[in-house]
Amino acid sequence: MVSSNKPPILFHPFILLFISILSVSISSIMIKLSDTPTSVAGMYRLFISVIIMLCFTSGKMARSAEMNKKDWAIVVLSGLFLGLHFLFWMESLVYTSVASSMVILSLQPLFVMMGSYFLFKEHVNLLTVFCLIVALLGSIVIAWGDIWVSKDALIGDALSLIGTFCASVYLLAGQKVSGKINANIYSIFVFFIGGTVMLVYNLINNVSLINYASSDWIYFLLLAIIPTIFGQYIFNLLLKSIGATTVSVGIIGEPVLAIVLAYLLLGETMSLFQLLGGIITLLGMGMYFWSKSLKYNIQNK
């Protein structure tokens, strides 16, 4: 862990962003290999992350926070929406295809971009909009061969849309307080609150919390370390330096990496739509991050 709000100077923020996206992408592979309820896995994923991060967090970090009551309310709101994102997203997959959910998830940068404009007065240029459209087009191509419409699918798509909105609020709330609180402390609070939301959900639905094999607990631990600490935590760490919009654009690449990992690790086939869409998505993201990298390097000379 780090002792400041800024990313380590040895790593360019976009390198850290790639590491976090890769880590989150691995979670889809891990979930496919496990039969445990996703709501339980998500709950322990967050709670175990909190325990690990507490070992690397000092009282000095907590005392360095320059927060008022309104700021702490934003932290609570962020954690609440993180937990709701997990719940709505998981439930959407019961009704609709992963491909359809993926297309809706790709709308997250649009939500974040609009929120950033109204909350932080961030303006976007035509190049940024063009790059985002290209990346979104790639996501649509990937899912084109697997999108189907039915009553259940529409329910799933609605739940996925709500989950995507929740994830956008989570990122925007994090950016709002990123300059006032250490990323470690912030992550511990929001992960704990998000895990509590999922705990309440599991208790209401009488989902077993303890009757799991040792291999399942290892799985929970790996979920905490890889996609949460090396994924979600780094997202939180980067909010101050590159902003929620750039982080959310990077998340568009998650499905592409997940498809590649599934091909390499699980032996899943890669369709022509997935290959073509992945190339288009990476092209759009590449242009976006190239332009952002030039601007970042100029500002930090």
Side-chain angles (χ1 to χ4, degrees), residues 66 70 93 107 145 208 227 247 301:
E66 301 175 355
K70 181 179 178 181
L93 296 177
L107 296 174
S208 176
V247 170
K301 278 186 177 181

Side-chain angles (χ1 to χ4, degrees), residues 229-240:
I229 293 178
F230 283 95
Q232 294 290 339
Y233 166 71
I234 295 181
F235 288 157
N236 294 337
L237 188 68
L238 293 173
L239 288 175
K240 182 179 180 180

